[in-house]
Amino acid sequence: MTAPPALHALPARDDEGNWRAVIEAPAGSRNKLKWQPALGAMELHAVLPLGTAFPYDFGFVPSTQGQDGDPLDVLLFMDEPAPPGTVVPCRVVGVILARQKPASGGKAERNDRLLAVARNSHRYAHWKKMADVTPSVLDEIERFFVFYNAQKDVRFEPLGREGAAEAKRLLEEGRSAYARAAKG
C-alpha cells in the first residue's frame, strides 16, 4: 500500500476543480502552526500577543511555491474554524498583493495573501468575487497582517487588491515554481 502524499505535496486542486487549502491557524487562535515536511507534522511557529487572534482560517495551497520558498498563503472565509491540518476545498475570490522584508534590512519579497471561500460555506456562499468582500473586511485583514508581521520584526506592505483572475494567475505561477523545485 502506498502512503498518501504529505500535506504540502497534495494536488493543488481536487477532482471537481476546487482549490485546496491546508489550515495552519484556525480563526480565533493565537497559535500559528507551520507545516514541516521533514517532520511530517505541524510545528508551533508563533504565538500572537494576548488579545489578538487570527481573524479567519489561515493556511497554504499545497503544491505551490511563492517567492519566499513557502507554499502560497491563503486566508479562508468559512463558517467555523477548522483544526490545523484540515484540507478545505475552496474557490479563490481575490488576492491582497503584498511585499515583506525584515525590519532590520534585507531583501524584500512578495508574500501575497490569497482570499478564498470554503466550498461548503453558508455564511460566505454569496462571495463569488473580490467586490463581494467588503472594503472594511479587507482593511482589517491588511491591518492584521501588518501587525502580525511586526511581531516578528518583519515589515508587511500591502501593495493592492486584485480579483480572482490575478489570484488564479499567481496560483498557476506558484504551481509551476513548485514543480520546478520538485524536479530540482
Side-chain angles (χ1 to χ4, degrees):
M1 186 166 149
T2 306
L7 289 175
H8 71 285
L10 290 171
R13 298 188 94 152
D14 66 17
D15 293 339
E16 297 172 16
N18 298 296
W19 292 98
R20 288 188 169 111
V22 177
I23 304 302
E24 291 181 306
S29 177
R30 292 176 52 209
N31 292 334
K32 166 61 169 78
L33 304 177
K34 187 171 183 174
W35 172 252
Q36 296 294 344
L39 296 175
M42 294 281 183
E43 183 174 60
L44 184 62
H45 180 68
V47 178
L48 291 172
L50 190 62
T52 59
F54 280 86
Y56 300 96
D57 287 56
F58 183 68
F60 65 89
V61 177
S63 293
T64 63
Q65 183 176 316
Q67 258 190 23
D68 61 356
D70 288 338
L72 296 177
D73 294 325
V74 61
L75 194 74
L76 196 59
F77 301 109
M78 54 192 292
D79 300 9
E80 292 291 327
T86 300
V87 179
V88 181
C90 58
R91 72 175 171 278
V92 176
V93 295
V95 60
I96 295 173
L97 304 173
R99 176 176 41 232
Q100 67 183 45
K101 73 179 214 171
S104 58
K107 183 181 174 205
E109 296 176 325
R110 285 287 295 274
N111 201 348
D112 305 322
R113 300 298 191 255
L114 298 165
L115 303 175
V117 174
R119 178 187 64 199
N120 295 326
S121 176
H122 299 284
R123 181 180 303 152
Y124 302 103
H126 64 284
W127 286 10
K128 308 282 186 195
K129 57 189 181 303
M130 189 68 149
D132 296 329
V133 184
T134 62
S136 63
V137 167
L138 295 170
D139 291 343
E140 289 176 10
I141 291 168
E142 288 176 355
R143 282 194 300 272
F144 169 78
F145 281 112
V146 167
F147 174 80
Y148 168 73
N149 281 283
Q151 304 312 299
K152 302 183 298 178
D153 203 28
V154 173
R155 184 168 181 256
F156 182 87
E157 179 187 1
L159 302 173
R161 301 165 181 173
E162 296 289 339
E166 178 64 8
K168 290 173 186 173
R169 187 193 70 73
L170 292 168
L171 280 159
E172 292 303 335
E173 191 177 277
R175 287 172 78 180
S176 295
Y178 177 83
R180 284 191 304 276
K183 286 181 182 176

